[in-house]
Amino acid sequence: MQTIQFNKQHTIARYTMRKNLILGALFIFSGSYLIAQEKETDTKEKEEGLGTEVVNVVKPYTPTISDANKIKETPSLSDSITTSKKDIQYNIFSVPVASTFTPAKGKATGLEKAAKERLYNSYLSLGVGNYNTAKLDFYTSRDFSRDESLDIMLNHHSSQGGIDEVFLDDKFYNTGLEAYYRKRDRYMSWGVNGGFKHQIYNWYGIPLNVYSEDEVNSIDEKQSYYTGFVGGNLEFEDSYFTGGEIYYRRFWDGFSSGENRAVLKPKFQFPVGQELVNLDVEIDYVGGSFDRTYTNEDEINYSNLFGGFTPSIQILSDNLVFNLGASIFYNQDLENSDGDFFFYPKVDVSYNVVAEYVTAYAGVNGELQQNSYYNFAQENPFVSPTINVLPTDQKYNAFAGVKGRFLPNVGYNLKGSYKATNNQYLYRSNSFFTIDDIDDINTEGYAYGNSFGVVYDDIKTISVFGEINVDLNRDLTVGLNGEFLDYSTDNQEEAWNLPSLKASLFGNYTIGKWSAGLHAFYIGERKDYIGIPNQPSSTSREIVNIDGYFDLNANVDYSITDQWSAFIKASNITGTQYDRLVNYPVQGFQILAGAAYKFDL
């Protein structure tokens, strides 16, 4: 009780002290306020001259503070409804339970791996067919180390002929051997290659009903071509000099004609700002000779050298690819001491209108083409060894088109172009001689209207090209393309032996160990300029139309084992002996069957 009484008195004293402090503060504040009011009033009276006022205080301000009582947090309850809380005790009763569950170990699901196909370093294929046809292909690759290898290739294709209504020998023979050695280092790779090729063809396309049997039997229609070549290439990493090529070829025939060709093509790359500028340099020489012209025994000599460079830059953006460049060349006719400069554009641009589905592209380019006797003979083996060899000046080739996909597995390409070419070469039939010709008569095997010369003209060409490719699935692909061409010549009456329409169809299908292919092509009508039979002058000529032709080819292959396979190839299935060139019918239906073997050597 004493303690409670002391606390109560102490509390009352503390409240009383607080009350006195508050009253004192209020009194001082009120007094200061009243003095300030009086000073302010006196000042205003003096300034305004309003006189004096008397303020009577009726009752002084005496604030009071009531006693504060603290609210108890937990009030006492005296009702009969509330019951007291009972303590609850929890007890856990553990019972052991036997468990036989064993969780299975997790195992990652993997893809089934196909059996790795063994790779062999050698391949041999041999086939035989009608027209006494034989075809051989051999290839081997030898790795001396991880960075060093040697490849050797041997090819042979021949036929003993037998075309209907052909009175001269129409067999052909083509054999080639080539080797390629390459070496790869950390920052450089290089390689050298060389080879030899031997070809035999016959000028069997004499005009009918012109020569007697004795004259036909006296014709030596055989021509032999020989080619030897050597070359090399070089590539550098992280260098301004990125690489280049060098090439030399010797070509000659059975009529003492010969030709040399040498090409050097170094390449450079320089950084300019954020872009890279490519610089391609080219030096090209060709020179050769023929024993005579077609009409006399004057020797033909030619020698041509050109050199130039092509700077170019590629600019890329999200949907745009822009290639900008130009070529500058100087050409020197060493035989006639005549030279000239040539300038060509190298510009093309492509834009993705709809990614993967629609890409528009356009451009314009040109080039100086080095023609050669070798190139003419490979394209048309029935040319006579009496031709003029000149370079072709393709001034420009402007084109525009659109390509992409109709569907994810259907691709297309549509392009139109306009090309202007000076000195465009054309194959034109050589006239034939008769006993009535009084000039120097050429009695070689090619001088019976059965060979082709080369003439040149300035030609403008309009072309429309279209292509569709369909990948039905991984094993079946089908494609179709076609091109319409229109030529405008300057001096020649026609663009000799150039078709106005070209089209082709192909398809490939693979199922299991079987694979099959189909290839068909159509070449439209062409025109040539031939001599008129039984006319005394070799200058009497007429224009003839050479019908267009359709050629259908197919092949089937079967893999017997991983090393052995068999094949059948059918050519010109329709059996039409169409004329590929004037007076040159082709073999009819051809079939070739054989086997191929893969092995390690």
Side-chain angles (χ1 to χ4, degrees), residues 81-135:
I81 300 175
T82 304
T83 58
S84 61
K85 296 181 180 179
K86 295 183 179 180
D87 295 334
I88 300 175
Q89 296 182 353
Y90 299 91
N91 295 322
I92 299 175
F93 181 70
S94 299
V95 178
V97 178
S99 175
T100 58
F101 171 73
T102 303
K105 294 182 179 180
K107 184 177 180 181
T109 302
L111 298 175
E112 294 184 3
K113 294 183 179 180
K116 185 177 181 180
E117 182 181 0
R118 180 178 176 182
L119 301 178
Y120 299 91
N121 66 5
S122 301
Y123 170 85
L124 177 65
S125 174
L126 177 64
V128 294
N130 59 339
Y131 293 97
N132 293 320
T133 301
K135 186 171 177 57

Side-chain angles (χ1 to χ4, degrees), residues 232-385:
N233 63 79
L234 186 64
E235 293 182 3
F236 282 95
E237 297 288 341
D238 300 327
S239 173
Y240 293 140
F241 174 58
T242 59
E245 299 177 9
I246 187 171
Y247 180 79
Y248 170 76
R249 181 183 65 230
R250 172 65 180 176
F251 179 68
W252 70 100
D253 65 12
F255 287 82
S256 301
S257 307
E259 180 183 78
N260 296 304
R261 177 84 180 272
V263 179
L264 177 63
K265 294 182 177 180
K267 297 182 179 181
F268 303 88
Q269 190 176 74
F270 306 96
V272 176
Q274 301 296 324
E275 306 295 338
L276 292 175
V277 175
N278 297 304
L279 179 64
D280 296 341
V281 181
E282 182 177 1
I283 301 174
D284 195 331
Y285 167 79
V286 64
S289 64
F290 299 101
D291 267 2
R292 59 167 298 156
T293 69
Y294 190 77
T295 58
N296 59 60
E297 295 183 354
D298 294 339
E299 186 177 355
I300 300 176
N301 295 294
Y302 60 95
S303 181
N304 195 73
L305 171 68
F306 69 68
F309 57 91
T310 304
S312 63
I313 186 172
Q314 185 179 73
I315 301 173
L316 302 174
S317 66
D318 293 339
N319 296 312
L320 183 70
V321 178
F322 182 54
N323 295 304
L324 177 63
S327 296
I328 303 175
F329 281 90
Y330 178 78
N331 180 73
Q332 178 68 35
D333 185 347
L334 301 177
E335 192 65 30
N336 299 310
S337 301
D338 184 23
D340 200 359
F341 281 97
F342 297 86
F343 301 89
Y344 302 102
K346 296 283 185 181
V347 180
D348 66 82
V349 60
S350 64
Y351 180 75
N352 289 330
V353 181
V354 180
E356 297 186 3
Y357 287 90
V358 181
T359 300
Y361 62 93
V364 58
N365 54 50
E367 62 178 330
L368 186 61
Q369 301 172 355
Q370 186 77 285
N371 295 319
S372 65
Y373 181 33
Y374 172 83
N375 291 338
F376 292 149
Q378 299 306 303
E379 190 174 39
N380 182 358
F382 308 113
V383 294
S384 64

Side-chain angles (χ1 to χ4, degrees), residues 51-105:
T52 59
E53 289 184 3
V54 178
V55 178
N56 296 321
V57 177
V58 178
K59 183 180 180 180
Y61 175 67
T62 56
T64 59
I65 299 176
S66 303
D67 293 338
N69 296 321
K70 184 178 180 181
I71 301 175
K72 295 182 179 181
E73 295 181 355
T74 305
S76 59
L77 301 176
S78 58
D79 59 306
S80 60
I81 300 175
T82 304
T83 58
S84 61
K85 296 181 180 179
K86 295 183 179 180
D87 295 334
I88 300 175
Q89 296 182 353
Y90 299 91
N91 295 322
I92 299 175
F93 181 70
S94 299
V95 178
V97 178
S99 175
T100 58
F101 171 73
T102 303
K105 294 182 179 180

